[in-house]
Amino acid sequence: MAAELVEAMNMVKSFRVLDLQTLLTSMGRSRSGLKQDLVGRALRLVQTEYSPELLKTIRQLYESRFPKAPSWVAQRRPDAVPQVYSAHSSPPVPSVHGTDYLNGLPKPTSSSASEVKLAHLPFYQTLETLMPPTELIAQNSEKLQDSPCSLELTPSQVDQIRSCREIRPGMKSIQVVLRICYADTVGVQEDQYPPNIAVKVNGSYCHVPGYYPSNKPGVEPRRPCRPVNITPWLNLSTGPNRITVTWGNFGKRYCVALYLVRVFTSAELFNQLKHCSVESAERCRERIQDKLRFDPESEIATTGLRVSLICPLVKMRLGVPCRVLTCAHLQCFDAVFFLQMNEKKPTWTCPVCDKPAPFELLTIDGLLSEILKETEDVEEIEYLADGSWRPIRDEKEKECSSTPECPLLDMGSLEANGHSPAHSSFSQPGKTGAPPSGSSGSGPAPAATGGGGGAGGGAVVDLTLDSSSEEEEGGTGAGDSDDTEDSQDSPPPKKGRYGYDKDLVTAY
């Protein structure tokens, strides 16, 4: 049943819009929406309402598009990948050898907690269920409750733990984990710790993940709720193990379960993703063409889509471009960093749009992988309507390369008194300035004798002429009228490129 479920989900992921609409219509579901909405709706349909009739319809649609079904379809996810158990699929057979239920109660004939479905965790593969989800029952009215139970492992389970490899020093790849969640039978339950939780095994406290500090004001620290590894404190001999769960009784109902699991590392998950979930370049081009296809009902025509080659997680160039099948965007993130971050802090959220990004829906973009190999100094590309692409160069580099050389302002050298010589020149490559002050040639700039001398090739103005203005202010009105007439006859000073007089620069 589980293999058929995975096969159906893989076939649904390869459907086009028309196939998805046909499937949803045949099952009485809405066929409206974007492709990512249709894919998510169809996957939820497979997980929640799996039946032989639904599988038959999916196979017919798949075979109509791919007459010869390739062999990799049924092997898209290898056996090493944890399986997803829906409400209609059966989990691993429980092994309750030597296990008493919590609170010292006998095993009930029917318990609502046994119907609780825990969420699938990509880094954990369930090998055996040592104790099914069992509700924590308060023994009194105290806020702090202790719920004890005992666990005795079988010889085969002990051999698996002892003979397994270590994923890092002191941590086995085969573990006995304790999971706690809400005692709710509706839907799939995520791991959720009760307040004041503590786990004691054979008299020793186990490590329970603490709170993550929050750097945002007004936001409470978040606690990562993940399985608690109790393997180091277990007695691997034939004797029983005493487990006590301490929890805060504040009105909410919780249940606890024990599993024998195999733990994967981010590198192992990446190898599974690389070998089993790569979208071909041709399929990626079809996706681009679908997004850029002209819509007559839309007032805005999109001719291209820009995609950055920088990972939004680490702000570095993408190594292995990855995205979620149900996301609408084409922007990718780095698969290696994404898996490493979720190994440390599991959120499984798309870093681009903040939507859920479960491991089963991750895929490697084959087209962008080829583009990354062909480009080394490009940080952004643009997808075109025909499925092709072009690199986007830095706009600043274009402006710098196309801007003509600016005129240079020559301030000259300092004289002995510390002031700049009274001259200015605008020089451009290939052009010479005005003739020096000693030459007899005529030019538009006035020449002056004395002062700083003709050290440069530009027009020279004696700055000592400014001192005569004080004497003229104290003189007769005739002098003022002469100056007024001269100022009216003389043309206005020419302005340079930067707003000051072209032939006059005052040095302080």
Side-chain angles (χ1 to χ4, degrees):
M1 180 70 72
E4 293 178 352
L5 178 64
V6 174
E7 179 184 3
M9 293 178 62
N10 292 329
M11 288 190 289
V12 168
K13 293 175 186 177
S14 64
F15 282 177
R16 306 182 76 170
V17 174
L18 182 60
D19 302 328
L20 294 169
Q21 292 176 345
T22 303
L23 174 63
L24 293 172
T25 303
S26 63
M27 300 302 296
R29 299 299 179 90
S30 174
R31 54 177 290 170
S32 61
L34 299 176
K35 182 174 182 180
Q36 64 270 12
D37 300 329
L38 300 178
V39 173
R41 200 176 302 154
L43 290 176
R44 288 192 297 270
L45 176 67
V46 174
Q47 292 179 346
T48 58
E49 299 185 11
Y50 179 78
S51 64
E53 292 77 12
L54 178 60
L55 178 61
K56 181 179 179 181
T57 304
I58 293 175
R59 283 179 175 172
Q60 289 176 351
L61 291 172
Y62 185 84
E63 292 174 359
S64 64
R65 186 182 178 193
F66 303 101
K68 294 182 179 180
S71 59
W72 56 264
V73 173
Q75 301 175 355
R76 182 177 173 86
R77 293 291 181 196
D79 295 337
V81 180
Q83 303 293 338
V84 182
Y85 298 103
S86 65
H88 297 277
S89 63
S90 57
V93 179
S95 173
V96 293
H97 173 76
T99 303
D100 294 334
Y101 272 63
L102 288 174
N103 318 305
L105 299 177
K107 180 179 178 181
T109 55
S110 61
S111 173
S112 59
S114 62
E115 301 175 2
V116 173
K117 299 296 187 298
L118 280 162
H120 158 65
L121 300 177
F123 288 99
Y124 297 86
Q125 179 190 5
T126 301
L127 302 178
E128 294 185 55
T129 301
L130 304 179
M131 184 179 71
T134 307
E135 185 175 352
L136 295 171
I137 301 176
Q139 302 296 319
N140 48 50
S141 60
E142 297 293 332
K143 294 301 181 182
L144 206 59
Q145 297 288 328
D146 289 333
S147 298
C149 72
S150 62
L151 170 67
E152 185 175 348
L153 299 174
T154 63
S156 61
Q157 294 167 355
V158 173
D159 291 340
Q160 290 186 70
I161 296 174
R162 287 177 172 173
S163 61
C164 71
R165 63 181 181 86
E166 290 187 347
I167 54 179
R168 55 177 173 267
M171 180 172 289
K172 298 280 189 178
S173 60
I174 304 294
Q175 300 177 1
V176 176
V177 297
L178 181 143
R179 298 183 66 179
I180 304 178
C181 66
Y182 288 130
D184 190 357
T185 59
V186 179
V188 179
Q189 301 301 315
E190 301 285 343
D191 290 63
Q192 185 64 47
Y193 294 157
N196 308 111
I197 182 174
V199 179
K200 186 184 294 185
V201 178
N202 296 326
S204 300
Y205 283 101
C206 299
H207 171 70
V208 179
Y211 288 91
Y212 286 138
S214 177
N215 54 3
K216 298 180 180 179
V219 178
E220 295 183 359
R222 180 179 176 272
R223 189 172 197 170
C225 298
R226 60 176 66 187
V228 180
N229 179 23
I230 63 174
T231 312
W233 295 272
L234 288 176
N235 182 11
L236 297 182
S237 62
T238 56
N241 296 275
R242 194 68 179 172
I243 303 173
T244 303
V245 178
T246 303
W247 54 286
N249 181 21
F250 294 95
K252 292 186 178 181
R253 299 166 53 212
Y254 296 88
C255 62
V256 64
L258 294 172
Y259 298 98
L260 183 68
V261 300
R262 174 179 285 112
V263 182
F264 296 105
T265 63
S266 59
E268 291 172 332
L269 281 190
F270 172 69
N271 289 332
Q272 296 171 10
L273 183 69
K274 183 173 60 175
H275 290 95
C276 306
S277 186
V278 179
E279 194 169 26
S280 64
E282 291 75 13
R283 181 68 189 92
C284 294
R285 291 190 182 94
E286 291 180 4
R287 187 185 297 272
I288 296 170
Q289 293 172 356
D290 289 341
K291 291 185 68 68
L292 296 178
R293 183 175 290 111
F294 175 72
D295 186 1
E297 298 180 358
S298 177
E299 298 180 357
I300 301 176
T302 305
T303 58
L305 289 173
R306 289 195 174 190
V307 173
S308 175
L309 303 184
I310 303 300
C311 176
L313 288 171
V314 292
K315 309 304 179 185
M316 295 172 57
R317 185 177 172 85
L318 290 169
V320 183
C322 178
R323 53 184 170 77
V324 188
L325 289 173
T326 54
C327 288
H329 54 81
L330 298 176
Q331 178 64 51
C332 294
F333 48 87
D334 193 273
V336 176
F337 289 114
F338 182 75
L339 293 176
Q340 289 177 351
M341 293 179 68
N342 279 280
E343 185 179 21
K344 300 296 183 183
K345 183 181 178 181
T347 57
W348 297 105
T349 303
C350 176
V352 180
C353 62
D354 292 332
K355 291 184 178 180
F359 177 74
E360 292 77 16
L361 297 181
L362 296 181
T363 184
I364 296 176
D365 194 311
L367 177 59
L368 198 58
S369 298
E370 295 180 358
I371 296 174
L372 288 169
K373 295 178 182 178
E374 298 177 10
T375 59
E376 295 182 355
D377 57 345
V378 177
E379 295 184 355
E380 190 177 16
I381 63 168
E382 181 179 9
Y383 287 129
L384 304 179
D386 58 352
S388 60
W389 61 277
R390 68 180 184 90
I392 302 296
R393 301 291 180 181
D394 192 356
E395 299 295 338
K396 295 182 179 179
E397 295 180 2
K398 290 184 178 181
E399 293 178 0
C400 293
S401 60
S402 60
T403 302
E405 296 184 5
C406 301
L408 301 178
L409 179 63
D410 184 10
M411 298 298 295
S413 59
L414 295 177
E415 291 183 345
N417 59 1
H419 295 286
S420 173
H423 77 278
S424 65
S425 65
F426 288 91
S427 61
Q428 295 183 357
K431 296 182 181 181
T432 58
S437 59
S439 63
S440 59
S442 62
T449 59
V460 179
V461 178
D462 192 349
L463 296 179
T464 59
L465 295 177
D466 294 340
S467 61
S468 63
S469 59
E470 298 180 357
E471 299 176 359
E472 292 174 358
E473 290 177 358
T476 61
D480 296 337
S481 62
D482 294 338
D483 293 341
T484 304
E485 293 176 358
D486 294 340
S487 62
Q488 293 176 352
D489 296 337
S490 61
K494 297 180 180 180
K495 301 293 182 180
R497 178 181 179 92
Y498 299 100
Y500 45 74
D501 295 350
K502 183 175 182 181
D503 295 327
L504 179 60
V505 173
T506 303
Y508 295 95

